[in-house]
Amino acid sequence: MNVEDLKVGRDRLLDLLCSFAYREGDFVLSSGQKSSYYINCKPVTLHPEGALATGRLLLSMLSADVEAVAGLTLGADPIVTAVSVVSALGDRPIPALIVRKEAKGHGTMAYIEGPTLSEGAKVVVLEDVVTTGKSAMQAVERLRGAGYKVDRILSLIDREQGGAEFYRSVGLDFETVFTIKDIQEWMANKS
């Protein structure tokens, strides 16, 4: 995909996120913090155009040696799936892994769903919204516990509330498609 197509896709994704994911009001986040805004990416990442744009953008951010994408259920489920499907369409099939918050209560009692990869396989963790960084870190720890190499996290949105700094402090590379400033500036210009 060329740079111009990625820019168009990025702009469309930003428009969808502002239209369907961003809300202002009084909210309590999963981190326990209070916030004057809330971002729920699922209406966008489950939207056909949103999923396609998400898959294309995040796939373009992956290095050639990445063997899988993974994320903590539920927010990352549509994201890892979108990247995996788009990768297969481009003749670079990358499997998706979904990391459970709790071990499966039956059968294999697995924490990780998806194809089994070789020991040391390079996996990138995907996240919808990063606040403190603790959610994606849970996925990193589970994946490392399964023998995979994880040193990078990609996110759709960084709330800029310490997540990026936390990842750097534990030796993880972090990159985001948008920051909260991008979202709020887009909203202000639409008004």
Side-chain angles (χ1 to χ4, degrees):
M1 178 168 239
N2 69 41
V3 174
E4 186 57 33
D5 288 342
L6 285 173
K7 179 173 179 358
V8 169
R10 185 183 188 281
D11 288 348
R12 178 63 179 140
L13 183 58
L14 182 55
D15 186 47
L16 288 169
L17 288 166
C18 291
S19 299
F20 299 109
Y22 179 84
R23 299 287 174 263
E24 293 184 346
D26 293 318
F27 303 97
V28 176
L29 307 176
S30 63
S31 65
Q33 296 179 14
K34 291 185 178 190
S35 178
S36 60
Y37 65 90
Y38 183 70
I39 305 167
N40 176 9
C41 290
K42 286 178 281 305
V44 175
T45 58
L46 291 167
H47 182 284
E49 286 182 72
L52 183 59
T54 295
R56 285 178 173 167
L57 285 166
L58 291 175
L59 179 63
S60 76
M61 297 166 74
L62 298 177
S63 60
D65 60 345
V66 170
E67 296 175 66
V69 290
L72 192 66
T73 198
L74 178 73
D77 294 1
I79 299 170
V80 299
T81 302
V83 171
S84 184
V85 169
V86 168
S87 74
L89 293 172
D91 285 334
R92 184 187 169 201
I94 299 173
L97 304 174
I98 294 172
V99 181
R100 295 175 179 273
K101 293 176 184 171
E102 301 293 330
K104 190 174 177 177
H106 59 281
T108 61
M109 309 296 226
Y111 273 108
I112 301 169
E113 295 294 343
T116 302
L117 307 173
S118 60
E119 179 86 15
K122 186 171 182 176
V123 178
V124 172
V125 169
L126 306 181
E127 179 71 287
D128 55 357
V129 180
V130 168
T131 303
T132 63
K134 302 297 191 228
S135 292
M137 195 63 204
Q138 191 176 353
V140 169
E141 290 166 355
R142 296 269 184 250
L143 292 159
R144 286 178 173 170
Y148 302 136
K149 181 180 181 204
V150 184
D151 58 13
R152 188 161 191 230
I153 297 173
L154 299 178
S155 175
L156 288 180
I157 302 171
D158 180 4
R159 290 179 57 101
E160 299 184 314
Q161 292 182 275
E165 294 78 10
F166 169 70
Y167 295 141
R168 280 193 281 284
S169 77
V170 295
L172 289 165
D173 180 37
F174 172 69
E175 191 174 354
T176 189
V177 178
F178 304 108
T179 65
I180 188 57
K181 289 179 188 134
D182 296 325
I183 302 286
Q184 291 173 334
E185 284 174 11
W186 189 273
M187 293 298 292
N189 290 333
K190 286 184 79 171
S191 304

